């Protein structure tokens, strides 16, 4: 493992409830752990350092992509690989085993592998969501330092490799788990903020304001992020206020989200319908404010969000 050292980057703001769990799960495999904090007012910094963080760096928040790429550029990383993990996530022991084995194979063979896809699992109200198309999801979470960065989007941002190929860890239970411990009041407030970012992102797609050369290429038969981007473009073209309901019915009924019990019902309705309806309402509000004047909306997006 001498030439397969890993550095983790964790973005935080008031993550005292989660940060110790996150760092404990990665300490055995990550040689460097850098926390990029955007102004926590709780004990996040002290808890992170006590749990084993290498350093806590501070930077004002703009959006996730900007903050993460700032961390990549400014954290004193010396490791060979970078691992993207959120403060409210943790990794399972099986994933640790699989990553160690995968890096050992990569290190002993002549290849251009620069990225590793891992399974992501979402736990909601304490229950793993295993249906409705939510598990397993595959995300590029680990990549060779200097060969990737976070694409510059306001929402739904992915890591984009600049060169090389990838491998996928596909063992069931070898998961990176998103398990937020906050209550539903916090969740709905957080998703109100997400809805604004999603509104910006969807208007950028609609008006073709994306910097496509620096982003994930949409492809139906491509990688998981490429397929997700392709589906999002198709979703943007569907009618406002109809698409949230269709999304909910598709995931909850056709993809079997109902099999995840009452927690699944709440997740699929809140995340798949309510949240997406709120995004549509914000899009409608912007269009109504500018009388559907495309040039005025584009000017507002550039002035307000720097797109």
């Amino acid at each position: 493992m001498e030439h397969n050292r890993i550095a983790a980057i964790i973005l935080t703001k008031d993550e005292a409830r989660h940060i110790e769990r996150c760092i404990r799960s990665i300490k055995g495999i990550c040689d460097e752990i850098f926390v990029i904090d955007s102004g926590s007012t709780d004990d996040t910094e002290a808890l992170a350092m006590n749990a084993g963080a290498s350093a806590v760096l501070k930077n004002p928040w703009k959006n996730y992509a900007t903050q993460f790429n700032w961390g990549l550029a400014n954290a004193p990383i010396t490791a060979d690989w970078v691992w993207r993990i959120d403060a409210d996530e943790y990794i399972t022991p099986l994933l640790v085993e699989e990553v160690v084995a995968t890096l050992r194979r990569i290190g002993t063979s002549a290849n251009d592998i620069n990225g590793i896809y891992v399974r992501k699992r979402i736990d909601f109200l304490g229950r793993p969501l295993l249906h409705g198309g939510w598990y397993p999801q595959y995300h590029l979470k680990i990549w060779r330092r200097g060969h990737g960065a976070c694409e510059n989007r306001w929402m739904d941002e992915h890591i984009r490799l600049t060169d090389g190929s990838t491998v996928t860890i596909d063992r069931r239970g070898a998961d990176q788990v998103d398990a937020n411990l906050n209550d539903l009041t916090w969740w709905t407030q957080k998703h109100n903020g997400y809805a604004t970012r999603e509104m910006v992102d969807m208007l950028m797609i609609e008006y073709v304001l994306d910097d496509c050369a620096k982003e994930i290429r949409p492809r139906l038969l491509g990688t998981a992020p490429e397929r997700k981007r392709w589906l999002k473009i198709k979703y943007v073209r569907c009618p406002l206020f109809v698409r949230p309901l269709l999304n909910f019915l598709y995931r909850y009924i056709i993809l079997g989200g109902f099999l995840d019990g009452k927690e699944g019902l709440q997740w699929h309705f809140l995340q798949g319908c309510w949240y997406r309806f709120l995004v549509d309402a914000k899009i409608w509000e912007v269009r109504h404010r500018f009388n559907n004047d495309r040039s005025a909306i584009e000017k507002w997006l550039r002035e307000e969000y720097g797109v």
Side-chain angles (χ1 to χ4, degrees), residues 11-16 36-42 44 61 87 190:
L11 306 189
T12 60
K13 183 175 182 182
D14 296 334
E15 290 288 357
I36 313 300
D37 190 77
S38 55
S40 291
T41 57
D42 60 8
T44 295
W61 182 266
K190 185 81 169 180

Side-chain angles (χ1 to χ4, degrees), residues 244-255:
L245 180 59
L246 294 177
N247 181 63
F248 167 72
L249 293 174
Y250 176 67
R251 288 189 174 274
Y252 190 68
I253 303 298
I254 297 176
L255 296 184

